[in-house]
Amino acid sequence: MIKDTRFQGYDLKGFQKDVTAGLVVGVVAIPLGLAFSIASGVEPIYGLYTTIIAGILISILGGSKYQIGGPTGAFVPLLFGIVMQYGYESLLIAGFLAGLILILMGLLKLGNLMKFIPRPVIIGFTTGIAIIIFSGQIASFFGMKVEKHEAFIDNMKELVVKADTINVYSIVVACICFSVILLAPRILPRVPGPLLGLLVSTLAAFLLFPDKVATIGSTYGAIPKGFPEFNVPELTLETIITLLPVAVTIALLGGVESLLSATVADNMGGTKHDSNKELVGQGIANMATPFFGGIPATGAIARTATNIKSGAVSPMSGVIHGIVVLLVLLVLSPFAAHIPLASMAPILMFVAWNMSERKEFAHVLKTKTTDSAVLLVTFLVTVFTDLIMGVGIGLLIAFVTFIKKMSHTLKVRERSDDINEIVSSDSDSKINVYNLEGPLFFGSIDVLESSILANLDSKTKILVLSMRRVTYMDTSAEAVLMKIVNRIGQYKGKLIISGIQPQPKELLLSTGLYHKIERQNFFKSKEDALYFAKKQLNASADKVV
């Protein structure tokens, strides 16, 4: 820990600040841990186990100075679907495999690639998750007895069908909790609103409506007191193969969210996180938590922001936050059984509202660009179909639209007329000159073919390509250039290139096309290339005469 640069200059005063911040974040994490686990379809205690174990490990082993890890809202729909389809035990195995994948991603230095996910995809996906979380708490808010489904539409139909099961007492409890959450920042700004709302509404239900509303105890049984037991999930090759796609999804989602959270922390705290180290830390934490019954965890943006605002100065605050939750579990767990499910609903609704990125969503929509389409498609598919498909289709559309945009950035400008007017040749032979500007890649090769290749004929004896403004070329463009070389070769002509940049040159060298064009036909300046071209054409004309 001494070698960790995140602890440079650490002293007793810094530790005191971390204790304060860790206490605040730990208190905030307790109701969220309970709520997220319930919403994920597992027993509430597993959310606390995750908060403790993953929270401590992510802070110690991660690459962010202020990151707070634990169960998050983004995972809720995904984990609920896994539990519904495969069961809780399979969720533990999927979480373990996801941790292993995260470690591999970190070791392979893939952390920096996460930042290339388009913002509209992230916003559409996050807003879609927020809608799923919010709508999933409607039944608990109204105390309705419903059967939960994976599909959003089925859950909405279930609410309509079971409307006659609404519990007025649950509504009152939920409204008390919701009101306290909204008023707490004004009345008691130093007390976490979700915790205060949970305490006040639980007390109100216990005193005013005993046995009238569903509680954690009546639904899930008593909260175990003490540290979780160590259990090894049963791993088989068949199970691994079955759950691997799910594990990849958990790893990708966890990786993206954790790095987003670390970036937010950097902006707030003036730091710079290590993306790859963060992925490794997240991976180790997710491999460890299943042995204690914990669910997948990642960096929590809201709790990380709270950590920084509370005065944290090092990762020690995250460790302390996990210890605080553990102490509460050891001492106060019997009282958790009295918490009404209706009290948990407003907390998750509030989380969903805050994570919805509604302002960014509206901002992107107003642009009425292809980004708007990517955003809407990602959002709609995420909500109405599947989380994985939402991200996949969103990325696909973003990729296609990006390629289409980039294909128009290549400019091919013909400059043949100027030089042919001054070439001293009486024959029909000519020099074709083109200025190329922009990337040469598979999305722009049609421009090369239509503008250059299609215009080559038997009269073209020399083709000059100015590539000073071409900084990138891929093998698809190289293949078209090979066609151009072969075509002009049929006419006993030459290709001359000026101003070639390092990357295109390296590609031509590696493919052998550089040597086929011949070294003497490459020039640094366009002026030298044109002088050589005129000289060659005039020499050919003299031979004919």
Side-chain angles (χ1 to χ4, degrees):
M1 188 174 293
I2 297 177
K3 295 180 180 179
D4 195 329
T5 56
R6 298 176 299 166
F7 287 90
Q8 284 184 348
Y10 197 61
D11 55 16
L12 180 60
K13 187 177 180 180
F15 178 73
Q16 291 172 342
K17 291 182 178 180
D18 281 338
V19 169
T20 302
L23 180 62
V24 173
V25 180
V27 169
V28 171
I30 293 170
L32 294 177
L34 292 170
F36 288 141
S37 56
I38 291 173
S40 299
V42 302
E43 295 183 17
I45 188 62
Y46 299 136
L48 296 184
Y49 291 163
T50 305
T51 302
I52 296 166
I53 300 166
I56 292 174
L57 290 176
I58 287 172
S59 293
I60 294 176
L61 304 173
S64 173
K65 191 172 185 178
Y66 302 114
Q67 183 83 285
I68 297 295
T72 65
F75 271 141
V76 166
L78 176 61
L79 302 189
F80 179 76
I82 296 172
V83 173
M84 289 285 289
Q85 186 173 355
Y86 300 104
Y88 169 65
E89 290 293 330
S90 294
L91 174 61
L92 298 181
I93 297 173
F96 176 84
L97 295 175
L100 183 59
I101 294 170
L102 281 167
I103 292 175
L104 292 174
M105 289 168 62
L107 294 177
L108 293 173
K109 310 295 184 184
L110 299 181
N112 294 330
L113 296 180
M114 294 291 185
K115 64 184 179 182
F116 294 112
I117 297 179
R119 185 64 178 159
V121 174
I122 295 175
I123 295 174
F125 178 70
T126 304
T127 307
I129 290 176
I131 293 294
I132 295 173
I133 294 173
F134 191 95
S135 62
Q137 297 307 305
I138 294 175
S140 295
F141 191 100
F142 290 97
M144 301 169 66
K145 298 178 181 179
V146 299
E147 182 181 347
K148 291 187 176 181
H149 304 274
E150 288 187 63
F152 175 81
I153 293 295
D154 292 338
N155 283 319
M156 293 301 98
K157 290 179 180 178
E158 186 77 7
L159 292 176
V160 175
V161 172
K162 299 295 178 63
D164 58 337
T165 64
I166 290 176
N167 185 329
V168 176
Y169 301 105
S170 292
I171 298 176
V172 174
V173 171
C175 287
I176 291 174
C177 182
F178 195 72
S179 299
V180 173
I181 291 175
L182 293 177
L183 294 174
R186 301 177 183 177
I187 302 173
L188 297 170
R190 294 188 177 183
V191 180
L195 180 66
L196 189 61
L198 191 68
L199 293 175
V200 173
S201 59
T202 299
L203 185 61
F206 182 75
L207 296 177
L208 303 176
F209 317 120
D211 304 323
K212 294 292 186 179
V213 295
T215 64
I216 289 178
S218 66
T219 306
Y220 299 98
I223 298 292
K225 184 178 181 179
F227 200 74
E229 295 182 0
F230 183 86
N231 289 302
V232 181
E234 185 179 348
L235 278 173
T236 64
L237 181 60
E238 182 181 355
T239 305
I240 292 175
I241 293 174
T242 301
L243 296 176
L244 191 57
V246 174
V248 171
T249 305
I250 294 174
L252 292 176
L253 177 57
V256 170
E257 188 175 9
S258 66
L259 296 182
L260 281 175
S261 180
T263 302
V264 171
D266 288 345
N267 294 335
M268 292 182 66
T271 57
K272 184 173 180 60
H273 72 278
D274 185 329
S275 299
N276 297 310
K277 186 179 179 182
E278 181 65 25
L279 291 180
V280 172
Q282 295 281 345
I284 294 173
N286 277 285
M287 288 185 70
T289 51
F291 292 110
F292 300 94
I295 61 179
T298 184
I301 297 176
R303 273 161 278 171
T304 298
T306 301
N307 185 41
I308 297 173
K309 291 178 181 178
S310 300
V313 297
S314 80
M316 184 57 68
S317 60
V319 176
I320 294 170
H321 124 275
I323 295 174
V324 169
V325 177
L326 174 60
L327 293 176
V328 171
L329 175 64
L330 295 175
V331 178
L332 301 176
S333 59
F335 299 99
H338 299 290
I339 298 175
L341 297 183
S343 297
M344 310 296 290
I347 294 174
L348 285 181
M349 287 178 165
F350 193 69
V351 169
W353 177 257
N354 287 333
M355 72 178 288
S356 64
E357 300 198 66
R358 54 198 180 279
K359 292 182 180 179
E360 290 80 0
F361 191 95
H363 174 72
V364 175
L365 279 185
K366 287 180 181 178
T367 62
K368 295 181 180 179
T369 61
T370 53
D371 285 344
S372 305
V374 172
L375 174 76
L376 273 178
V377 171
T378 304
F379 169 74
L380 293 174
V381 176
T382 297
V383 173
F384 293 103
T385 306
D386 182 78
L387 298 176
I388 306 171
M389 191 176 294
V391 174
I393 293 179
L395 287 174
L396 178 61
I397 296 176
F399 174 75
V400 172
T401 54
F402 172 76
I403 294 303
K404 186 176 180 181
K405 288 178 182 177
M406 289 299 294
S407 66
H408 295 303
T409 61
L410 176 65
K411 304 297 182 184
V412 179
R413 307 181 190 278
E414 186 173 5
R415 293 290 184 266
S416 304
D417 293 340
D418 296 340
I419 189 171
N420 285 316
E421 288 179 1
I422 61 175
V423 172
S424 59
S425 173
D426 296 329
S427 67
D428 291 332
S429 300
K430 64 180 180 178
I431 300 175
N432 285 6
V433 182
Y434 295 93
N435 291 350
L436 305 183
E437 301 175 10
L440 295 176
F441 71 114
F442 65 90
S444 60
I445 58 175
D446 59 325
V447 179
L448 281 180
E449 292 177 336
S450 61
S451 300
I452 299 177
L453 188 62
N455 290 326
L456 293 178
D457 54 34
S458 58
K459 294 181 180 181
T460 305
K461 296 304 178 183
I462 298 178
L463 172 64
V464 179
L465 298 182
S466 175
M467 296 179 61
R468 184 171 62 87
R469 295 185 180 180
V470 177
T471 58
Y472 176 78
M473 174 189 289
D474 69 0
T475 54
S476 297
E478 185 269 346
V480 175
L481 194 59
M482 175 69 81
K483 290 182 181 178
I484 291 174
V485 172
N486 292 335
R487 177 74 61 82
I488 200 169
Q490 294 175 2
Y491 304 140
K492 309 298 183 183
K494 289 184 178 181
L495 171 63
I496 297 175
I497 295 178
S498 69
I500 190 167
Q501 298 298 308
Q503 190 277 333
K505 182 178 180 180
E506 286 296 323
L507 178 64
L508 297 185
L509 283 169
S510 63
T511 61
L513 185 55
Y514 185 90
H515 301 292
K516 185 170 183 177
I517 297 174
E518 297 183 355
R519 183 178 180 179
Q520 65 268 22
N521 292 325
F522 287 88
F523 294 86
K524 289 185 178 181
S525 70
K526 182 180 177 181
E527 290 74 16
D528 290 342
L530 293 178
Y531 177 80
F532 180 77
K534 289 184 288 184
K535 188 175 180 182
Q536 291 293 308
L537 187 63
N538 290 332
S540 298
D542 292 340
K543 287 182 180 179
V544 172
V545 175

